[in-house]
Amino acid sequence: MNVSVVLFTSDLRLHDHPPLRAALDGSREVVPLFVRDRAVDGAGFARPNRLAFLADSLRDLDAGLRHRGGRLVVRSGDLVEEVCRVATEADADEVHLAADVSAHAQRREERLRRALEAEGVRLHVHGTVTTAVDPGVLAPGSSDHFAVFTPYFRHWSGYRLRDALGAPRAVRVPEGVGSEELPGREGLSGLSPALARGGETEARARLTAWLDSGVAAYEDRHDDLAGDATSRLSPHLHFGTLSPVELVHRARAVGGAGAEAFVRQVAWRDFNRQVLAARPDAATADYRTKHDRWRTERRAGEDIEAWREGRTGYPVVDAAMRQLRHEGWMHNRGRLLTASFLTKTLYVDWRVGARHFLEFLVDGDVANNQLNWQWMAGTGTDSRPNRVLNPVTQAKRYDPDGAYVRRWVPELADLEGPAVHEPWKLRGLERAALDYPDPLVDLADGLARFKRARGRD
């Protein structure tokens, strides 16, 4: 036997792919395999936006493999069963896989290892494929993970990353291993109208353009809501069409304050993943409970629906929520504002917001999504768990002339200057002419309710 199986999961690329390079060692034949995991579908993570981006990425991966003489094999069903079936069909003696951090991924890896060992097939799990630094590599002496970002980032910044690997020149796939038809966007309904395209080709072009003309200004402009001055590479990191190791190397090669600030965001992503690896229950349970008695979905149902639809009466919150639906993506400052508003001002459970984000976000990542929601709700790793972001103050700071609000809330497009952030202050016919709701709650009342709930009044 001289055949390897490479199981692609959230690493849909050819450049800097350690499992693929290891599988090809010694001129072995390789079966590049992707399994549409029935368990992922059943858990509700297979939402339209991510399925479309996935389809783009798989087609691009297949095209890249075919350019090198290979092809992608796609199967559907129970992942463990399908991998074992393909290994048998190909007469393979080893399977290569990228490490992952979720509880589901860890259970799946263990099941796969046992099943393959029973068939005499070795499983090789590779680190630093979906992260720049593996979870567990950096840890304080008193714990198995860092719970505070600043000391984590200090250690992360001093850690020597492995070198990035080039894409293979040739991939030989054995005959006789059948594949399903590659999925496409066709037939998918409920897609965000302005959903980005997926695939490694798109990822690498976007990264090059970002490093050439965007990253230098990142430190100064990353919170500019209207300027749209972020990389928008998060979906590509989520699906692994871009390597975090290569991204860090290339950003550091550019250098400067903007690149340093950008690399810090990659470290945040690794930070969340090492938290989730150590505490898998944090995907659904408070990392640090505040014993909140959140307003139930029954009691707060109308407020929750207004938040989801972008009709809260606070323009910057509504603009961000509408951007989410239209693009399947939201500016990071918008994510903070909308999360603070739901959990602190409306006092609704962070899990309600996290579920809604995962419904639309093409970069919907369990580690980043859930732990960032917990950070904003004050149940996560934030050292200031009771901070509340005032949407009016934040809007005037990060959207000073109201361009972001006018883009996404056309009902307010005719209002000039910062008045667009407080339309409830208009009087008479001017206010009556706006098809826009009054605020769901007075900010002072929402703050008082939150302080009472947290015992800080």
Side-chain angles (χ1 to χ4, degrees):
M1 292 186 293
N2 199 30
V3 179
S4 302
V5 175
V6 177
L7 177 61
F8 288 85
T9 53
S10 53
D11 50 348
L12 305 179
R13 64 180 185 269
L14 297 177
H15 290 81
D16 193 39
H17 197 285
L20 180 59
R21 291 297 295 268
L24 289 167
D25 187 45
S27 301
R28 297 171 68 92
E29 289 187 317
V30 170
V31 181
L33 172 66
F34 180 84
V35 178
R36 175 75 181 271
D37 190 349
R38 185 190 303 134
V40 173
D41 293 358
F45 288 104
R47 308 311 301 154
N49 284 343
R50 290 193 295 281
L51 287 177
F53 200 95
L54 171 64
D56 295 345
S57 301
L58 292 176
R59 287 180 175 237
D60 190 73
L61 178 60
D62 180 65
L65 287 165
R66 289 182 182 277
H67 181 70
R68 293 163 173 82
R71 61 188 172 92
L72 181 65
V73 173
V74 176
R75 298 289 180 91
S76 297
D78 178 83
L79 182 138
V80 172
E81 293 176 4
E82 291 301 323
V83 173
C84 290
R85 185 173 291 117
V86 168
T88 299
E89 292 174 10
D91 200 20
D93 62 346
E94 62 180 29
V95 173
H96 294 263
L97 168 69
D100 205 348
V101 299
S102 71
H104 167 72
Q106 292 179 40
R107 290 192 300 268
R108 183 178 66 187
E109 179 187 316
E110 184 54 33
R111 284 181 57 224
L112 181 59
R113 186 182 301 280
R114 291 198 303 268
L116 289 173
E117 285 178 351
E119 301 293 331
V121 179
R122 298 186 303 276
L123 177 65
H124 302 278
V125 179
H126 300 261
T128 62
V129 181
T130 63
T131 57
V133 177
D134 278 332
V137 169
L138 306 176
S142 59
S143 176
D144 58 355
H145 71 288
F146 279 96
V148 180
F149 176 72
T150 300
Y152 174 80
F153 182 58
R154 187 167 58 249
H155 286 78
W156 188 94
S157 298
Y159 186 80
R160 188 185 184 283
L161 303 185
R162 64 169 177 81
D163 293 335
L165 304 170
R169 294 183 178 181
V171 178
R172 294 188 302 118
V173 179
E175 299 292 333
V177 181
S179 173
E180 298 173 4
E181 184 178 350
L182 291 171
R185 291 195 177 203
E186 306 82 13
L188 289 173
S189 60
L191 297 181
S192 293
L195 183 67
R197 301 293 304 182
E200 183 178 17
T201 301
E202 175 70 18
R204 297 187 71 78
R206 183 174 288 275
L207 174 60
T208 297
W210 168 247
L211 295 177
D212 286 346
S213 60
V215 75
Y218 182 76
E219 184 182 36
D220 296 327
R221 299 191 59 210
H222 69 275
D223 277 322
D224 179 358
L225 284 163
D228 197 15
T230 62
S231 72
R232 290 186 177 248
L233 290 171
S234 56
H236 293 286
L237 287 170
H238 173 61
F239 282 91
T241 54
L242 191 64
S243 157
V245 170
E246 182 182 3
L247 186 153
V248 172
H249 280 309
R250 291 181 63 179
R252 284 175 171 168
V254 172
E260 291 174 8
F262 179 62
V263 167
R264 183 181 176 91
Q265 297 305 309
V266 182
W268 264 110
R269 182 175 180 274
D270 279 6
F271 172 76
N272 284 335
R273 293 175 82 81
Q274 59 97 39
V275 171
L276 188 65
R279 291 277 300 275
D281 62 325
T284 55
D286 289 349
Y287 178 78
R288 289 175 176 152
T289 184
K290 296 297 182 288
H291 304 288
D292 286 291
R293 295 184 297 276
W294 304 106
R295 298 170 69 209
T296 65
E297 292 189 64
R298 181 177 61 83
R299 291 181 56 200
E302 291 185 4
D303 288 353
I304 294 169
E305 190 58 27
W307 176 82
R308 288 172 175 156
E309 296 292 334
R311 297 281 292 175
T312 68
Y314 288 97
V316 74
V317 172
D318 295 340
M321 295 303 293
R322 295 184 194 190
Q323 181 183 29
L324 172 64
R325 283 182 175 269
H326 188 76
E327 296 188 347
W329 184 88
M330 187 192 293
H331 192 286
N332 184 60
R333 178 55 52 174
R335 300 186 197 207
L336 297 176
L337 288 172
T338 54
S340 175
F341 187 82
L342 184 71
T343 60
K344 304 288 181 60
T345 305
L346 296 181
Y347 198 56
V348 171
D349 194 328
W350 63 267
R351 283 158 280 243
V352 173
R355 283 198 303 271
H356 182 74
F357 271 31
L358 285 177
E359 183 74 20
F360 290 96
L361 283 177
V362 70
D363 62 15
D365 178 283
V366 171
N368 279 346
N369 187 66
Q370 310 303 87
L371 289 170
N372 283 336
W373 267 97
Q374 290 222 49
W375 191 88
M376 205 62 251
T379 62
T381 61
D382 187 9
S383 59
R384 294 172 54 199
N386 297 307
R387 79 174 79 203
V388 178
L389 300 182
N390 182 308
V392 176
T393 302
Q394 293 272 308
K396 291 179 178 179
R397 180 179 303 164
Y398 299 116
D399 187 29
D401 64 1
Y404 180 74
V405 165
R406 291 186 192 87
R407 181 183 307 158
W408 295 109
V409 189
E411 307 96 298
L412 305 179
D414 293 333
L415 295 183
E416 297 182 359
V420 75
H421 296 307
E422 299 175 284
W424 59 87
K425 290 187 174 181
L426 299 174
R427 294 291 181 264
L429 293 176
E430 191 176 15
R431 177 67 185 95
L434 297 177
D435 179 22
Y436 187 72
D438 288 328
L440 285 179
V441 61
D442 182 89
L443 294 178
D445 292 342
L447 180 61
R449 174 172 56 195
F450 174 70
K451 286 184 175 180
R452 285 196 305 272
R454 288 276 172 96
R456 298 179 64 86
D457 55 352

